[in-house]
Amino acid sequence: MIIEFGHFALILALAVALYQTVVPQWGAWRNDATLMASASVAAVTQLILLAIAFAALTHAYLTSDFSVLNVAENSHSAKPLLYKLSGVWGNHEGSMLLWVFILSLFGAAVAVFGRDLPETTKARILSVQGSVGLAFLIFITVASNPFLRLLPPPVEGNGLNPILQDPALAFHPPFLYGGYVGLSIAFSFAVAALIEGRVDAAWARWVRPWTLVSWALLTIGIGMGAWWAYYELGWGGFWFWDPVENASLMPWLIATALLHSATIVEKRGALKIWTILLSILAFSLSLVGTFLVRSGVLTSVHAFAVDPERGIFILSILAVFVGGSLTLFAARAPSLKAGGLFATVSREGGLVLNNLLLSAACAAVFIGTLYPLALETLTGEKISVGAPYFNLTFGPIFIPLLLLVPLGPMLTWKRADILAALRRLWWAAALALLVTLLVLMVTVRGPWLAPLGIAVGLWLIFGSAAEIIQRAGFGHQTTAIAWLRLKGLPRSAFGTALAHGGLGMIVIGVIVLSLWKEEHIVTLKPGGEIPVAGYTVVFKDVQPLVGPNYDGTYGRFEIMRGDRLVKEVVSEKRQFRPRSMPTTEVGLMQGVWGDIYVVLGDPGEDGAYVVRASFNPMASVIWLGALVMFLGGLLSLTDRRLRIGVPKRAAAPVNAMPSPAE
C-alpha cells in the first residue's frame, strides 16, 4: 500500500509540475498577482509530493520489499543497512527519482527564500524550473518508473552492484546530483531574464549564491568520487578521464566561470550576455552528463543504464531545453545592454581571461569525451581517447589559468597597473620558489615537471594568503588597524582565498602523486617481502573471508620500518552474493607524506599471489584540497551579501570603520 501511495504522489507531482509550468508564466504575461503567487505554492507542493514518493521507495528498500521490481533487481536482504539506503539511488530508476526530488528542493527553496524577487521574475523562474521537472517526471512515469510491482515476488533480490557498496559511494551521488541539479536554478534565472529582457546587478546577486551552492556540491562530489576510485578500484589512481568523470568536470568548469562572470555583472554591470550564456551552458552540460550516464551509449563503472530507448527520451529532453534556451538566447541577447566599459588590464579583463581559459578547457574535455561517440555513430569506427589527449590539451590551457589566479584579485576595477599588482605578490612568488628549492634539496629525482607543479601549487596557496594580507592592509597600516580591517573583511573574501588555496593543494597532490609514485608488482608467496620507499611490505598469509553478503579471501600484510612494525593492513578479494561479482579492497596505510598501498591480486602457481605495493606520495593532499575548496564555498555562503533571502543591509553604527573595498 505504501508503494501505491508513493506512486500516486509521483503522479500528482507530475500534475503539479504541469500547473507550475503553465499557470505562473501565463500570470506573468497577464500581470495577474494571484496566478503568479500560485507558483510558490506549486513549487512547495511538488517538493512535498516527491518527498513522499522518495520516502515510499526508501521504505521498500529498507524493508526488502521484493514485490517492487526495482528493489528486487538492486537489493538483497543480507545487505548492510547503509547499502540498503544507498541502493535507493544506486540504480537508474531510483537515481532519477532522487534527481527530480533535488530539483523540486531547489525550486521550493527559491519559492521560500525568494520573497524579495520581483513577482514576475519569480513566477517565470519557477515556471521554467517546473518545466524541467515536468519533462523528467514524464520520463520517470513513462520509461523509468521505480514503483512497478513484481508478482509473484522473489524470495531474494539480485543485490546492489558490488562496486557501489562502499561508504563514499553512498554519499557521492547525492552531492553530485545536488551540484548538477542546482545549476538548473541559474538556468531558470537566465531564461527568465531573456524573456523579460532585463539583466542587472540584482539579478546577478541572486544568481551567485545558487551557483555557489551548486559549485560547492559539485566540488565535494567530484572529490569523493576521485577518493573512491583511488581506494576502491585497486589501480592506485584517482582520475581516468572516463566519459562520466568528464561529464561532472565540464559543468564544474563552466560553473566556476559563471561565478566569476556574475561578479562582473554585479559590480560593474558588464558581461551580461556572456553570463547568461554561461548559465545556460552550465545546466546544459549537466543534462549532457545525465544523458551519458543513463543512455547506454558508453560502458563505464559510473553508468546506470544500457537502455537505448531511455537514452533517446533523455536526448529529446536535452534537445528541447538546450535547443530552446539557445534559440531564445539568440533572439533576445542582442537587446541586452552591454554595460560598463573597462580597460584590457583590469580586474574585469582578468576575469574575462579567466572565463576564456575555463571555457576553452571545458571545450577540450567536451571534444575528447564526445568525439568517439560521434565518430562511432557516423562511421561505426570505434576509437578511444585517453589521458594523452587530455594531458596535451587540457593541461596547456589550465596551467596559464593557475598562474593567473593570484594575480586577478590584485587588479583594480576598470583600469589596473599590472606591475603594481605583481609587486604586491613578490613575497608569495619568492616563498613558493624557496619552498620548492627546499623540496628539491631533499628529493632530487623524477621528472623536471614535478618541481614546477609544486611551485605552481605553492604560488596559488601563498597568493591566496597575499590577497587577504593586502586587503587587510598589513605592511601599509599599523598592526592594530590591519587586524581590525582583517576582522572586517567579508566572509566571501576568506571563502575565495580558501577555494584558491584548496586548488593549490590539489595541484601539488596531483603532480607529486603522478610523477613521484613508486610501484612494484611482483608474485609472492606468504613470507615474501617487497621494499617500498624505505618500508618493507611483508606478505604474512591468506585467510578465507565471510561477510554479510559476500565471501572471499584476504591477505595480511605487515608494513615494517627496519625491525619496527608500523602497521598491519588487509587487502581483500570479495565475491558478492548473489551476483558472483568480484571486487578488490585495498590495504592502505595513510600518512602525512604519502600512502603505502597494497593490493592482493589473483593467485598463481604454487600458492603464490600477484601483489601490487606502491608508495603514493601526498595522495591525501588531493582529498584535503577538495574539502578545503568545498569549505571555502560554504564560508562564502555565510556572507550576508551572498545569503539567500537576506538582501537588506543592517544599519551601521555611527562611528563604525568602513569595510575594506572589494
Side-chain angles (χ1 to χ4, degrees):
M1 185 66 185
I2 293 176
I3 287 297
E4 281 70 30
F5 191 60
H7 194 184
F8 183 61
L10 183 69
I11 300 298
L12 286 180
L14 191 155
V16 172
L18 177 61
Y19 177 94
Q20 184 180 332
T21 301
V22 177
V23 175
Q25 193 73 250
W26 177 247
W29 283 111
R30 295 184 57 188
N31 199 27
D32 188 318
T34 302
L35 295 181
M36 289 189 290
S38 69
S40 297
V41 179
V44 175
T45 303
Q46 187 183 163
L47 171 63
I48 294 171
L49 291 170
L50 287 172
I52 293 172
F54 191 78
L57 185 61
T58 302
H59 178 269
Y61 269 86
L62 295 180
T63 59
S64 296
D65 184 358
F66 299 125
S67 70
V68 180
L69 177 62
N70 183 258
V71 179
E73 290 180 341
N74 300 284
S75 192
H76 191 278
S77 61
K79 278 197 317 182
L81 182 62
L82 175 63
Y83 303 131
K84 287 184 178 180
L85 178 62
S86 64
V88 178
W89 54 80
N91 59 89
H92 175 79
E93 293 84 0
S95 69
M96 288 309 307
L97 184 59
L98 177 63
W99 206 98
V100 294
F101 173 62
I102 295 174
L103 184 78
S104 69
L105 181 62
F106 275 96
V110 172
V112 173
F113 297 112
R115 295 182 298 269
D116 297 288
L117 280 169
E119 284 300 319
T120 55
T121 303
K122 184 179 179 180
R124 289 191 169 106
I125 291 168
L126 292 177
S127 175
V128 177
Q129 193 76 3
S131 69
V132 178
L134 175 64
F136 280 96
L137 283 168
I138 293 173
F139 169 66
I140 291 173
T141 54
V142 173
S144 185
N145 195 330
F147 297 110
L148 296 179
R149 288 289 193 177
L150 180 63
L151 297 175
V155 177
E156 271 295 349
N158 294 332
L160 180 65
N161 187 338
I163 65 172
L164 301 181
Q165 297 187 42
D166 181 85
L169 260 292
F171 301 103
H172 161 68
F175 280 111
L176 206 60
Y177 291 175
Y180 274 152
V181 179
L183 291 172
S184 65
I185 298 296
F187 174 83
S188 298
F189 267 86
V191 173
L194 289 172
I195 294 172
E196 294 189 338
R198 186 177 70 247
V199 179
D200 52 19
W203 178 90
R205 279 194 295 272
W206 273 97
V207 167
R208 280 182 67 197
W210 294 111
T211 305
L212 186 57
V213 169
S214 303
W215 177 89
L217 293 174
L218 265 177
T219 300
I220 195 64
I222 293 171
M224 291 179 69
W227 179 44
W228 166 79
Y230 172 71
Y231 75 79
E232 177 65 24
L233 298 183
W235 62 291
F238 57 91
W239 193 265
F240 195 66
W241 294 107
D242 180 280
V244 181
E245 291 175 342
N246 298 345
S248 65
L249 179 61
M250 288 186 289
W252 184 88
L253 291 169
I254 298 301
T256 305
L258 174 58
L259 276 175
H260 293 85
S261 192
T263 302
I264 303 178
V265 177
E266 181 183 356
K267 301 291 185 186
R268 298 281 301 130
L271 301 186
K272 296 177 181 179
I273 296 175
W274 199 357
T275 304
I276 290 288
L277 180 60
L278 289 173
S279 300
I280 294 172
L281 290 180
F283 183 60
S284 298
L285 289 169
S286 295
L287 293 178
V288 170
T290 302
F291 168 73
L292 290 175
V293 174
R294 294 167 174 85
S295 62
V297 299
L298 52 85
T299 301
S300 168
V301 297
H302 306 84
F304 279 119
V306 292
D307 188 347
E309 292 184 3
R310 289 175 174 175
I312 293 173
F313 205 126
I314 296 174
L315 188 61
S316 301
I317 295 174
L318 181 66
V320 169
F321 284 98
V322 178
S325 59
L326 291 177
T327 301
L328 180 62
F329 174 80
R332 301 301 298 268
S335 64
L336 299 176
K337 294 182 179 180
L341 300 176
F342 53 88
T344 302
V345 180
S346 61
R347 186 176 295 191
E348 296 97 324
L351 291 172
V352 168
L353 181 57
N354 168 84
N355 290 354
L356 281 172
L357 291 171
L358 284 169
S359 300
C362 181
V365 178
F366 184 86
I367 293 170
T369 302
L370 294 186
Y371 175 74
L373 301 178
L375 184 65
E376 183 178 357
T377 302
L378 295 174
T379 67
E381 182 182 354
K382 293 186 177 182
I383 65 169
S384 176
V385 176
Y389 163 82
F390 293 103
N391 292 339
L392 290 173
T393 55
F394 185 85
I397 297 172
F398 213 71
I399 290 172
L401 174 64
L402 297 175
L403 293 173
L404 292 171
V405 166
L407 182 62
M410 297 296 178
L411 300 174
T412 56
W413 296 105
K414 297 182 68 174
R415 185 179 298 275
D417 185 346
I418 194 168
L419 293 179
L422 289 172
R423 282 196 294 270
R424 300 187 189 103
L425 289 167
W426 72 267
W427 68 266
L431 196 57
L433 181 60
L434 177 62
V435 175
T436 302
L437 290 175
L438 291 175
V439 171
L440 288 177
M441 291 173 62
V442 176
T443 306
V444 185
R445 64 185 180 88
W448 60 271
L449 284 175
L452 291 181
I454 294 172
V456 171
L458 292 171
W459 164 248
L460 284 166
I461 295 171
F462 296 138
S464 302
E467 177 191 354
I468 297 297
I469 292 171
Q470 177 68 26
R471 294 184 63 173
F474 286 99
H476 305 285
Q477 305 283 346
T478 64
T479 303
I481 293 177
W483 277 110
L484 286 174
R485 287 173 60 90
L486 183 66
K487 294 178 181 178
L489 287 175
R491 293 177 185 175
S492 59
F494 293 103
T496 300
L498 276 178
H500 290 170
L503 180 60
M505 295 171 65
I506 293 175
V507 170
I508 292 173
V510 168
I511 291 295
V512 173
L513 175 59
S514 301
L515 300 180
W516 284 350
K517 180 178 180 177
E518 180 182 337
E519 185 175 55
H520 303 273
I521 302 176
V522 299
T523 301
L524 282 183
K525 292 182 179 181
E529 300 179 351
I530 307 174
V532 183
Y535 295 88
T536 302
V537 178
V538 181
F539 186 12
K540 298 298 293 182
D541 56 36
V542 176
Q543 299 288 338
L545 174 68
V546 179
N549 63 330
Y550 57 85
D551 303 302
T553 58
Y554 68 91
R556 291 193 307 120
F557 298 87
E558 290 182 346
I559 300 175
M560 308 291 294
R561 188 82 174 194
D563 297 329
R564 180 173 63 89
L565 174 64
V566 180
K567 188 177 181 178
E568 181 177 285
V569 298
V570 173
S571 177
E572 302 176 0
K573 301 286 289 186
R574 297 178 177 179
Q575 196 81 17
F576 279 78
R577 305 185 295 269
R579 296 194 179 199
S580 297
M581 186 173 175
T583 65
T584 299
E585 297 294 318
V586 173
L588 190 62
M589 184 185 80
Q590 293 184 292
V592 176
W593 301 109
D595 302 341
I596 298 295
Y597 190 96
V598 184
V599 181
L600 177 69
D602 297 325
E605 298 178 356
D606 302 325
Y609 288 80
V610 176
V611 177
R612 172 188 291 173
S614 62
F615 176 68
N616 298 336
M618 308 221 37
S620 298
V621 175
I622 301 174
W623 333 129
L624 183 60
L627 179 60
V628 169
M629 293 182 73
F630 172 69
L631 294 176
L634 294 186
L635 181 60
S636 294
L637 282 171
T638 65
D639 193 318
R640 179 187 55 76
R641 294 172 297 177
L642 285 178
R643 284 203 304 269
I644 300 168
V646 192
K648 296 181 180 179
R649 184 181 297 273
V654 176
N655 296 320
M657 177 175 294
S659 298
E662 288 275 316

